[in-house]
Amino acid sequence: MILFSFLVIAITLFCVPSSARGRIYSPLCICMGLILYLYEELAGGCSNVCDIYQHPAISSCVPLTAIIIYLYWHPRKNKDLTDVPGHLYVAIPAMLFTLGCISGHRVELTGRWLEGLTLGCAEMYSIIYLMALYCLFYHAIKEAYTLFGTSFQNKSQRDANCKGGKLLQKYLSLLQTHPFRVSFFTLLAIYAPLAIISYPGLFKWDLDQQILQAFPELQAGLSSYTVGHQIDSDVYLCNHHPIAHTMLVHCCIRIGLCLLHNGNIGVYLFTLLQFASILCAIAYAMQVAVNKACVPSRVCACLLAFMALFPRVQSFVFLITKDVPYAAALLTFIAAGYTLAVRPGNWKHEKKALCLFIISAVATISFRNEGIYVITPFLLLCACFLKNIRKSACAALIVIFFSTFIKNASLEYYHVNPGSIRETLCLPLQQTARYVVTYPAEVTEEEKRAINQVIPYEEIAHKYNIDSADPIKDSWREHQVSAQDTKDYLRAWFHMFAKHPLCYIEATFINHYLTFYPGRKITTCPDAYESVHCMDLISQKTRMAGFEFHHPPVLLKQLQRYIMIREKVYGCISILASAAIYTWIAIFLIAYFIWKRNPTALAFLTLPGCVTVICILGPLNADYGRYIFPLILTEPFLVLYLKQIPNTPKTK
């Protein structure tokens, strides 16, 4: 089936774009594919009209149908894309996207990918769907490249010709003149009611361990992950979660307890600080978009409306988790980096941007342990190949080196317990579990012994979950595994990979297929019920110290009602909450700027690329919302920045 699909793509690759046959063949394949897509998706079970309205299949078919009509009746020619190199930069992303959709669709329906493939009726449907998507997205990507290259050409004329009411014109004029202040206060006005009814903030799992480990008198509520295996018997702090985030939450709670003897006040203080950091980051990014990227004011207003009204942004602003300040720091880092990149040789005149660039880099690695693997590749590329931003990147690398050294020395001095290596080995453990379940007879005794030294071999088949590596990861023999045991396991892991490499690839794709497939499942959103449950569990433990957390009943009722109404209204555009949308936007931009040979833009695209890779190396699928929140927040601004980024040649 796979080989036949590649054959179909290869034929379509060279037949559709230029021949007259494509004018008939493309719409026919697209319509057949959409019909099959809707049938397969809605056959999964929608009990009523409201469910169908909110189904991602419907919300994705609306823009797909609009694209079909636009492309078929308003074809646009781009001479640069008619030659073979330009054709390939469109065809290859379209081919990858179709394979991602077909593979993800199969995993979602059957729970399998490469296993058990036959050339049956279902596979023939998939082939038709593949051809339809390829035809559609070949032309869509080609059109998007053309629009991306020609939009915002004359910003002043576009702003001057803006039509609308006087109030809108006045607002756009203010946004153009004072982008930071207008953006900040617009978001503040829209978010203020939500900030009130979300009091004292939304709780989620793992927050209990962060709160409890900073209070020695509450050690009874800690998990066995820390208790009994500390470096110092009196220190329960653990760097499994970023210590900077844990201590900031603890300081805010202490302030609330000292001033008003109320834990809610302390947590709400942290929520407001997090809220302010998000507003400042978005406002600064908007200022850079207006002043440096020369984005038209109407486009900036639309982006501001997206940041203010999109539920996946709204929900996480008040969620107490490390990913929110991490995303704010990353957005500030991107905006400041762009400011420095568009001012070649004049970095001394951008001292404010340089300070924000360095401070946000330190904040990024402080609020997320994996943050250093996101920004370091970007800084190294800038230092080696980009002359415009080389000095700033070198300065940031030096500061990051010393801040990391000081952080590690401080953790060792204060006997803070390190995180577990099992977090790093999530993907290998999931691949091992898939191998053991699929090929149990081919696991040798030596491999069994090496696996059993790190996780119980007998429990693998029972605990394996295709969507999550957490059950296997949690069975890691904590504090019993030596460095030699880990080396033996990795050696066995590599030997099994050499025997069945496709099994490892399949385990990885099935665990993270939503990163590449915009299917039924979309990113989860924190809700009031989950927050109440988490608060109750934490309060049962914190009452020993004389404080607790709770949502006031009146505000909780309003919050629940608001979330319910918002999700119903939002159902028609739920496709925007799919992690795959942001993954493929980054892939399409990479292909575009490889075609344009723009190293500066490619360097900036390593940032969303590294965020995506870290998500794939993690334990959960891409429907886990907080992992993908940094992409939702930063990628819209990055697209606007890259549109106007200078085409800087490589240094010798």
Side-chain angles (χ1 to χ4, degrees), residues 473-491:
K473 179 194 72 173
D474 292 341
S475 64
W476 181 268
R477 299 182 188 274
E478 202 65 58
H479 309 295
Q480 300 177 22
V481 180
S482 64
Q484 185 60 43
D485 294 337
T486 305
K487 291 180 181 178
D488 293 340
Y489 163 70
L490 292 176
R491 191 179 298 112

Side-chain angles (χ1 to χ4, degrees), residues 115 432-442 464 503 506:
E115 181 184 356
T432 300
R434 180 78 179 185
Y435 185 98
V436 171
V437 171
T438 308
Y439 305 103
E442 298 189 27
Y464 175 64
C503 181
E506 186 175 36

Side-chain angles (χ1 to χ4, degrees), residues 215-290:
F215 290 90
E217 62 271 24
L218 299 176
Q219 58 169 304
L222 290 171
S223 65
S224 58
Y225 181 86
T226 302
V227 177
H229 303 91
Q230 308 100 292
I231 298 175
D232 188 329
S233 59
D234 296 328
V235 178
Y236 298 93
L237 290 174
C238 180
N239 198 38
H240 172 68
H241 300 286
I243 199 66
H245 184 261
T246 300
M247 294 310 299
L248 185 57
V249 173
H250 177 72
C251 289
C252 291
I253 293 176
R254 284 290 188 186
I255 291 173
L257 293 176
C258 291
L259 295 180
L260 299 171
H261 305 286
N262 192 321
N264 268 3
I265 297 296
V267 170
Y268 194 52
L269 174 61
F270 177 83
T271 303
L272 293 179
L273 289 176
Q274 179 176 277
F275 176 43
S277 69
I278 286 286
L279 293 190
C280 290
I282 295 176
Y284 176 67
M286 192 65 66
Q287 176 181 321
V288 173
V290 172

Side-chain angles (χ1 to χ4, degrees), residues 171 180-197 275-276 279-280 283 304-305 307-309 314 317-318 562:
Y171 180 82
F180 184 91
R181 280 178 280 181
V182 172
S183 301
F184 183 90
F185 287 109
T186 299
L187 293 174
L188 182 62
I190 295 175
Y191 277 112
L194 188 56
I196 295 172
I197 63 177
F275 176 43
L279 293 190
C280 290
L304 193 59
M307 291 295 164
L309 302 176
Q314 280 189 356
V317 167
F318 302 103
Y562 173 76

